[in-house]
Amino acid sequence: MRRVVSLFLPTWSTDRVRKVDPALPPEAPLVLLGRDGRRRIVLAADTGAQAAGLRLGMPASLAQVMVPGLMIRDADPASDRRGLERLALWLHRRYAPITAPDSPDGIVLDTTGADHLHGGETLMLSDMTGRLSAAGFAVRAAVADSWGAAHALARYRAKPITVAPPGAGTDMVAALPLAALRLPVETVHGLHALGFIRIGDLLERPRAPLTLRYGVELARRLDQILGRIDEPIEPVRPSDPIMVRRAFAEPIGAAETIARTLSQLVVALCPLLEARGLGARRLDLVCHRVDTRPQAVRVGTAMPVRDPRRLTRLLCDRIETIDPGFGIEIMTLAATVTEPLLARQTASVLTEDSPPDIADLVDVLANRVGEGRLYRAAPVTSDLPERVVRRIPALTPETAASWPGRWPRPSRLLAPPEPIETVALLPDHPPVWFTWRGVRRLVRRADGPERVFGEWWRRDAELIAVRDYFRVEDQAGERFWIFQAGDGEDAATGSQGWFLHGLFG
Amino acid sequence: MPDTRTPPALDALRARIARIESGGGHGRSMLPFGIAEVDRRLPGGGLALGALHEVAGGGSDATHGSAAALFAAGIAARTVGRVLWCITRPDLFAPALAQAGLPPDRVIYVEAGDERAVLACSEAGLRHGGLGAVVTEVARLPMTASRRLQLSAEKTATIGIALRRWRRPAEASDFGQPTAAMTRWRVSMLPSARLPVPGVGRHRWRIELIRCRAGESADFELEACDASGRLAVPADLVDRPGAQGRSRAAS
């Protein structure tokens, strides 16, 4: 199943101008002007200018009268296009093998076989939008089964992130207005006059009369949004790719043949990497099928790798995600992201074994479950149990740091802590009994309180917040970590409610 | 008094069968608990390396697996090398593992989406051979899956621990189904050691060896893992009259 991400950058031109020219005051509304014959008109307006009532196509003089203090720059569509291409190249390196600019204000990515590296589609989209917004670009993203559907969902739904589950895109698209179909404005107006408002109104209509009146474009766009006909994405290519390519006399389809070709491609790629002193961090395999629908596989490594055996293994692990269809004509393998990897001398110790290298296992697992899902825990200096653990990449150098082991800690931590009913003497006494998940437990033994203060340097609300932790044991010998929010006297220190936070072994 | 030693011919036969079973792989070695009472019950005097072992919590701990997780952490802590911990629910609290002898540098967590992915990840980990132990938190462990894990472990010296953990206590009846694991353990919590002052003493477990290939089932009452992952025999048990003869003989 093909999955396409469409990114919509609603104020791309103005955001780009602001990025290039940091001297522009960020709060002042900005418009970009261009020529329409002899008139100067507004070609792009940022969010502030649009909120002030400026519209695209408005004469420049009128805009200046309407908004005092309006910042004005000349529009530069060629630079916008080049900028979009550079952005597409960055997204290509970071996210997906097949990426293209979708002029004038978007990017389209075929993320089939690439989202696993980012922990699934939702996480990948939020990572994309997060990074772009942090860079100062307004962005909305959608993923669907076809370019048309993703394009429409990104532009005509107000949500920053839309994920249309596989096969469910049609229902979500049907509710969108006709303008989402990427049709000429006149066609949309004509359809409105006939009473068609939403895409869903058109889906069940006979095609012949519509085609007779509006041409084949309407039917083509409808089929594209439903994913019935293919819409190839012409991907951007880096200027100097490290790439090997193999074309077949006869289309191939069997998994064994693909695996064999893969290992040949990897063996051909490694000398190219070696000649430049590089190791691969991301490998893109693109299989061009006879029906022109490319199938892409992307694998990542935690450290630069140039070992043909390891790279072949990583790629062969993902062969099952390639759908050969009627056969594959061309296979290309490119090292999209590379890092320097030079020969280095290893210290040889004769007396003891060096610790086994597990980098290859980490790569295999990270490509299966996603890099974010494979981690080590690292200690954080904090008093709050929720904050003492930080996730770090699995191959981070060892630090031998650990948590202070003065107090026993539970082996399972509930997130969030669950409220319990208790009867307890206040303050500073453990409960006599408590009820958790409908079971009442008598407390036989208890240790505590261990007082934890809020971290006032993080949030104002924690300035005087307090928790009193107790380790309690019930009559059956089960041990729990419970706390009271507050010190039991001052209402400002917490809600005085009791919570169960962890289970001891 | 009948002679309890096995005839040498039988021992040789057992060794030959073990060699055939391991498929001519590495010579199997053991990871002893360091407690004579437990090690005596295990064939070979300890937990077999390069094998799969099953652990589950008893009672309501079947759903949380908090004691079972510490028991597994204690075993993993005494192996050499990194430990792969495959989970579906991220509720494991790493400081507790550090207190059971597994410092954060040694544990790599894999948060796979579902149980199939968890089993596939732990199989890859067992097959790799560079790890000390692989802990797999699963609810269902069908015969085929456990056989695959066992066969992957046999090729290496990595110890595989299937930490069985169910969503509901009723599903724990699944624990009776046969699997290819070498041993099967159940860890339940007991009231902690009595202290002269109010408070909770060293945690104590009832550890049941429910099934053991080429061995008999047994149950023990032991104290929970210390900072190096070792269990201990409770002091009041050591002092009971029956044990006195042994301790005197040892001194």
Side-chain angles (χ1 to χ4, degrees), chain A residues 139-314:
Chain A
V139 61
R140 294 213 295 268
V143 57
D145 294 342
S146 65
W147 184 353
H151 186 278
L153 289 171
R155 280 156 184 79
Y156 288 89
R157 275 172 71 101
K159 288 187 181 175
I161 291 173
T162 310
V163 177
T170 314
D171 302 335
M172 294 174 80
V173 164
L176 298 180
L178 281 183
L181 271 178
R182 293 183 286 171
L183 285 170
V185 184
E186 304 83 58
T187 315
V188 175
H189 283 316
L191 285 166
H192 276 167
L194 292 181
F196 295 113
I197 305 297
R198 305 191 173 280
I199 295 175
D201 303 341
L202 283 178
L203 292 181
E204 301 302 320
R205 294 279 153 187
R207 291 285 175 85
L210 289 172
T211 308
L212 200 62
R213 185 153 182 171
Y214 296 106
V216 290
E217 186 67 5
L218 175 59
R220 196 168 67 86
R221 289 297 191 196
L222 275 176
D223 281 341
Q224 280 179 347
I225 211 166
L226 297 177
R228 282 187 201 148
I229 59 172
D230 202 33
E231 195 174 0
I233 299 172
E234 187 53 48
V236 285
R237 291 246 167 269
S239 54
D240 183 21
I242 304 174
M243 191 169 87
V244 286
R245 180 172 180 279
R246 207 181 138 99
F248 307 104
E250 283 286 319
I252 62 166
E256 296 80 25
T257 327
I258 297 175
R260 205 165 51 237
T261 319
L262 261 180
S263 66
Q264 288 164 358
L265 285 171
V266 171
V267 167
L269 185 77
C270 286
L272 297 182
L273 288 168
E274 191 160 11
R276 304 182 194 202
L278 297 173
R281 286 288 315 274
R282 289 271 186 285
L283 276 186
D284 284 343
L285 173 76
V286 182
C287 305
H288 298 272
R289 302 191 335 193
V290 287
D291 56 358
T292 73
R293 187 174 284 194
Q295 293 278 313
V297 168
R298 164 168 283 200
V299 296
T301 61
M303 293 188 184
V305 178
R306 203 165 53 209
D307 178 10
R309 208 172 46 84
R310 270 179 65 184
L311 292 178
T312 313
R313 188 165 166 226
L314 285 180

Side-chain angles (χ1 to χ4, degrees), chain A residues 299-435:
Chain A
V299 296
T301 61
M303 293 188 184
V305 178
R306 203 165 53 209
D307 178 10
R309 208 172 46 84
R310 270 179 65 184
L311 292 178
T312 313
R313 188 165 166 226
L314 285 180
L315 285 165
C316 287
D317 207 42
R318 302 212 56 87
I319 281 183
E320 60 187 24
T321 61
I322 302 174
D323 174 16
F326 296 111
I328 295 166
E329 279 184 320
I330 304 171
M331 278 166 80
T332 60
L333 182 68
T336 315
V337 181
T338 52
E339 274 179 18
L341 176 64
L342 299 172
R344 62 161 196 267
Q345 196 169 2
T346 53
S348 86
V349 183
L350 292 176
T351 46
E352 55 191 72
D353 295 340
S354 58
D357 184 22
I358 56 160
D360 51 340
L361 175 70
V362 166
D363 286 343
V364 167
L365 294 179
N367 279 295
R368 280 195 199 157
V369 300
E371 277 166 7
R373 303 263 200 83
L374 188 77
Y375 55 90
R376 281 209 332 251
V380 176
T381 316
S382 172
D383 281 338
L384 284 177
E386 297 96 324
R387 294 188 188 146
V388 297
V389 179
R390 180 167 60 96
R391 291 182 177 190
I392 55 173
L395 289 180
T396 317
E398 298 186 9
T399 56
S402 191
W403 295 271
R406 291 188 297 271
W407 291 84
R409 288 288 177 251
S411 54
R412 304 279 180 194
L413 197 71
L414 303 182
E418 296 184 12
I420 50 176
E421 286 171 34
T422 54
V423 164
L425 279 169
L426 288 181
D428 296 347
H429 281 274
V432 182
W433 58 260
F434 67 96
T435 307

Side-chain angles (χ1 to χ4, degrees), chain B residues 24 42 49 55 121 187-188 193 243:
Chain B
L42 292 164
L49 294 176
V55 181
C121 287
V187 185
S188 340

